[in-house]
Amino acid sequence: MMDKDPLISIIIPTYNEAENIADLIESLERNFKKHNLNDFEIIVVDDNSPDRTWKIVEELSSSDRRIRLVKRINERGLASAVLKGISESRGEYILIMDADFQHPPEIAPKLVKSAINENADIVVASRYIKGGGVEGWSKVRLFISKFATFLAYAAVRESRYTTDPLSGFFVVRKSFVEKRKLNPRGYKILLEIIARNPPWKPKVIDIPYVFGNRRSGKSKLGANTIVNYLLHLLDLSTITKFAIVGFLGTLINLGIMDLVMKLSKSYDLGSVLGIETSILGNFVLNDIWTFRKKLSGKAMARLAGYHGSSLGSAITTYVTMKILHVFLGINPLLGQLIGILAGFAVNYSLSSRVIWR
Ligand code: GDD
Ligand code: MN
């Protein structure tokens, strides 16, 4: 018989945590009981750890029906493990935390309590508010972490809802993540959850904690996590992608103009053909990359619309070039570049409003 759904699902991703997992589960059960929160399940998502972490969980789950093991055989990865746990969860509130005691189990019930009592969508355990911190980190490591947070703030507006968007220790209301596509390659799962948000602003609460030392075993996150993080940020940041496309378009524009001027001796023709070629190139790149997930209607209609929304910046480019050249004697290519920059802001605001809403 299936039990009724629990209020809380605690999700713990594990890879080689045999020395930590039993103690952590015991400590969680004790701490939740202390706060009179007994209606929970604990889901451990293990990727077939060589140290047989899963075996320990399997045994615990046979005597405690609140404990569940999800064992993945052919997959590896922290973010995808967390997403797997979410899809298996039955609770109204989902708590995600590490197995190595760097996320103190005493804080866990407080996060859930605050989500329930204050009706929050997300409660983040934060290292970067008063009362929070990190234990045993070098200045360099702290700087990298803060810089990574700064990049998130710059690239993804919604990450500013919390002081610690890179936290791996948080509660989220199930209904907030349920019907949305989250990318398992999105390695910072909280960032992914916040960034792919529904149109309304979620209620987010931060609770301070001190990120402690690992109790046993060692970290699994290596240097490639930094690269993955940057790629993830780029994936979430439409404006950055749009800017990169714009930069490439500028090169195309000037390159074609230069070529046409050499062939035809007409800078007017060069300007116009440069502009049109870059519009076509930008359209293709934005369509297959920048706004890939937001396509609506037919491609031809988007292309026509993009021409319409580019009209302002195209005219701005040509007119600026012409004026600078005729009245100030500025080189047409340089004039074109200045014109392109002037038209850029107009183009972004129109495109994101009209074509790729
Ligand atoms: N299932 C599964 N698969 N679990 C994994 C995997 C994996 O491939 N890799 C790591 N885990 C589990 C670990 O067993 C641990 O419970 C948790 O995920 C965190 O892994 P650590 O290796 O301890 O990561 P960390 O301490 O370097 O990083 C933590 O702190 C960062 C803050 O600086 C994580 O919580 C990060 O998300 C967090 O940003
Ligand atoms: Mn850790």
Side-chain angles (χ1 to χ4, degrees):
M1 195 193 81
M2 194 80 171
D3 297 326
K4 83 165 190 30
D5 288 352
L7 176 65
I8 305 156
S9 295
I10 304 172
I11 296 171
I12 310 171
T14 58
Y15 194 77
N16 287 345
E17 303 287 0
E19 289 169 28
N20 294 318
I21 193 64
D23 285 352
L24 180 74
I25 289 175
E26 187 274 324
S27 175
L28 281 171
E29 295 199 311
R30 192 159 30 79
N31 278 288
F32 272 80
K33 192 166 184 194
K34 239 191 257 172
H35 286 82
N36 267 319
L37 290 170
N38 294 303
D39 190 12
F40 60 82
E41 61 178 352
I42 296 178
I43 302 175
V44 176
V45 187
D46 187 82
D47 293 351
N48 200 16
S49 297
D51 77 352
R52 296 166 73 85
T53 307
W54 47 272
K55 186 74 191 158
I56 297 169
V57 180
E58 204 170 67
E59 273 158 21
L60 289 172
S61 70
S62 67
S63 60
D64 182 341
R65 46 179 198 80
R66 293 192 294 192
I67 301 173
R68 292 166 61 195
L69 169 69
V70 175
K71 187 174 164 192
R72 304 195 303 171
I73 303 293
N74 294 317
E75 267 177 287
R76 255 309 299 274
L78 174 51
S80 65
V82 170
L83 286 182
K84 177 70 181 167
I86 292 176
S87 73
E88 293 284 329
S89 68
R90 293 176 293 142
E92 196 180 328
Y93 292 93
I94 296 170
L95 166 68
I96 292 160
M97 68 185 293
D98 294 351
D100 56 4
F101 285 88
Q102 293 194 278
H103 297 157
E106 308 80 60
I107 304 286
K110 292 188 188 165
L111 301 181
V112 178
K113 269 223 141 127
S114 133
I116 297 170
N117 293 345
E118 306 191 44
N119 196 27
D121 298 298
I122 299 173
V123 179
V124 182
S126 171
R127 295 161 289 180
Y128 301 130
I129 42 168
K130 196 164 177 293
V134 290
E135 220 169 64
W137 277 18
S138 67
K139 285 218 167 64
V140 175
R141 172 130 195 230
L142 186 62
F143 175 79
I144 292 175
S145 174
K146 292 207 164 159
F147 187 67
T149 305
F150 164 80
L151 286 181
Y153 284 167
V156 184
R157 173 185 301 275
E158 294 87 352
S159 68
R160 298 176 204 165
Y161 295 155
T162 169
T163 53
D164 197 355
L166 308 185
S167 178
F169 188 18
F170 61 93
V171 169
V172 61
R173 194 204 297 276
K174 177 71 173 282
S175 60
F176 192 78
V177 284
E178 220 161 21
K179 291 176 198 82
R180 286 185 296 132
K181 277 194 224 104
L182 297 170
N183 185 352
R185 271 170 306 177
Y187 133 85
K188 286 294 180 181
I189 208 72
L190 175 61
L191 193 61
E192 177 77 11
I193 288 173
I194 294 187
R196 306 215 194 273
N197 67 335
W200 40 273
K201 184 174 188 279
K203 179 166 183 185
V204 182
I205 293 173
D206 286 358
I207 296 206
Y209 85 106
V210 176
F211 185 82
N213 288 309
R214 182 175 250 282
R215 183 172 286 191
S216 180
K218 51 182 187 297
S219 169
K220 282 93 210 172
L221 306 186
N224 69 334
T225 54
I226 296 182
V227 176
N228 285 337
Y229 174 62
L230 295 176
L231 291 176
H232 185 205
L233 273 191
L234 179 60
D235 188 45
L236 291 173
S237 179
T238 312
I239 180 90
T240 309
K241 289 197 257 190
F242 195 85
I244 291 172
V245 171
F247 176 74
L248 294 175
T250 304
L251 297 182
I252 292 171
N253 189 329
L254 296 175
I256 295 289
M257 181 173 173
D258 187 41
L259 186 71
V260 173
M261 277 164 64
K262 283 189 180 115
L263 295 176
S264 74
K265 304 275 178 260
S266 162
Y267 69 85
D268 288 306
L269 185 63
S271 173
V272 171
L273 288 181
I275 289 170
E276 177 57 21
T277 313
S278 70
I279 288 177
L280 292 173
N282 285 7
F283 174 78
V284 171
L285 290 174
N286 283 327
D287 212 59
I288 63 178
W289 188 48
T290 317
F291 297 106
R292 189 184 57 234
K293 298 198 177 77
K294 302 179 182 173
L295 301 184
S296 61
K298 290 207 161 69
M300 283 319 278
R302 287 198 300 278
L303 178 61
Y306 188 63
H307 269 89
S309 78
S310 303
L311 199 60
S313 65
I315 292 172
T316 308
T317 303
Y318 178 77
V319 171
T320 307
M321 182 279 299
K322 190 85 182 165
I323 289 173
L324 291 177
H325 178 63
V326 172
F327 294 104
L328 301 175
I330 287 179
N331 177 303
L333 279 171
L334 180 58
Q336 181 96 340
L337 175 62
I338 296 169
I340 292 168
L341 297 177
F344 185 74
V346 182
N347 196 354
Y348 179 76
S349 77
L350 282 176
S351 300
S352 56
R353 248 159 247 170
V354 184
I355 318 289
W356 290 283
R357 257 169 315 203

